[in-house]
């Protein structure tokens, strides 16, 4: 995938994810979605079990598994369908994807410039703050332009 394609993909994903950034709407209820929806619909565990094609004790296990975060997506989807719901599964970045890339590029540029500045100081060569800032921004832009998987290497 080219750099331009990655930028375009990030923009499209960020646009789609904007509507999901309301964290409160996405937080799992304390008792889990399965139990919360089942109770809101007025279904007993036995009734949901029948709709799902499993035993009543299995529904209790499903609800317990969801509550502790040990449930599979397949089981959640089947439970959702049995209650006439749709399972929605997504990763919602804490910041827009483009901002994550920019933040990472800034970290890399800062690390590289610190090394360069240190070496120059040892050689008694100083750079004007304004020039350093310009160099920093130029480096950030260059890193973003090339941003592929290399941007996520552990070493900065």
């Amino acid at each position: 995938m080219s750099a331009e394609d990655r930028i375009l993909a990030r923009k499209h994903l960020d646009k789609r994810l904007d509507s999901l950034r309301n964290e409160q709407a996405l937080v799992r209820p304390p008792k889990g979605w399965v139990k919360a929806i089942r109770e809101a619909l007025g279904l007993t565990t036995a009734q949901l079990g029948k709709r799902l094609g499993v035993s009543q004790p299995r529904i209790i296990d499903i609800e317990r598994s969801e509550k502790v975060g040990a449930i599979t997506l397949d089981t959640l989807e089947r439970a959702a369908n049995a209650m006439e719901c749709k399972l929605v599964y997504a990763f919602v970045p804490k910041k827009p994807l483009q901002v994550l890339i920019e933040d990472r590029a800034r970290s890399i540029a800062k690390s590289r410039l610190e090394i360069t500045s240190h070496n120059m100081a040892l050689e008694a060569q100083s750079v004007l703050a304004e020039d350093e800032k310009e160099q920093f921004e130029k480096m950030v832009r260059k890193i973003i332009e090339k941003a592929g998987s290399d941007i996520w290497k552990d070493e900065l």
Side-chain angles (χ1 to χ4, degrees):
M1 181 181 273
S2 73
E4 285 182 17
D5 289 341
R6 280 191 296 274
I7 291 169
L8 192 58
R10 282 194 298 269
K11 283 182 182 179
H12 285 294
L13 274 173
D14 278 336
K15 194 173 189 176
R16 289 178 62 193
L17 291 167
D18 276 345
S19 63
L20 300 176
R21 294 202 195 280
N22 176 3
E23 286 183 39
Q24 285 307 107
L26 301 173
V27 173
R28 182 176 56 209
K31 51 179 130 181
W33 287 109
V34 175
K35 188 171 185 174
I37 297 293
R38 177 183 62 73
E39 288 178 345
L41 290 173
L43 287 167
T44 65
T45 53
Q47 290 168 327
L48 179 56
K50 186 174 182 181
R51 293 179 74 128
L52 197 52
V54 299
S55 66
Q56 182 268 345
R58 176 69 181 122
I59 296 300
I60 293 169
D61 289 341
I62 288 171
E63 291 177 351
R64 191 176 303 126
S65 293
E66 182 193 5
K67 187 175 180 179
V68 299
I71 194 166
T72 66
L73 287 174
D74 179 63
T75 300
L76 279 175
E77 187 165 32
R78 288 187 7 248
N81 287 332
M83 294 185 288
E84 311 248 351
C85 293
K86 176 173 59 171
L87 175 66
V88 178
Y89 174 81
F91 287 117
V92 182
K94 294 173 184 170
K95 300 177 186 177
L97 295 169
Q98 187 61 34
V99 173
L100 291 174
I101 293 293
E102 290 167 4
D103 288 352
R104 180 64 178 176
R106 289 186 184 289
S107 293
I108 292 168
K110 181 181 176 196
S111 178
R112 289 179 184 169
L113 283 178
E114 283 174 353
I115 293 167
T116 304
S117 295
H118 176 73
N119 290 340
M120 290 181 79
L122 290 174
E123 297 172 8
Q125 299 175 4
S126 61
V127 177
L128 295 173
E130 189 176 300
D131 290 341
E132 193 172 312
K133 185 177 180 183
E134 185 179 323
Q135 185 180 6
F136 176 77
E137 291 302 326
K138 192 175 186 179
M139 188 179 290
V140 168
R141 284 192 305 275
K142 192 177 233 181
I143 292 167
I144 291 171
E145 285 172 13
K146 290 184 171 184
S149 61
D150 285 351
I151 199 170
W152 298 107
K153 284 185 179 175
D154 289 338
E155 65 279 349
L156 292 177

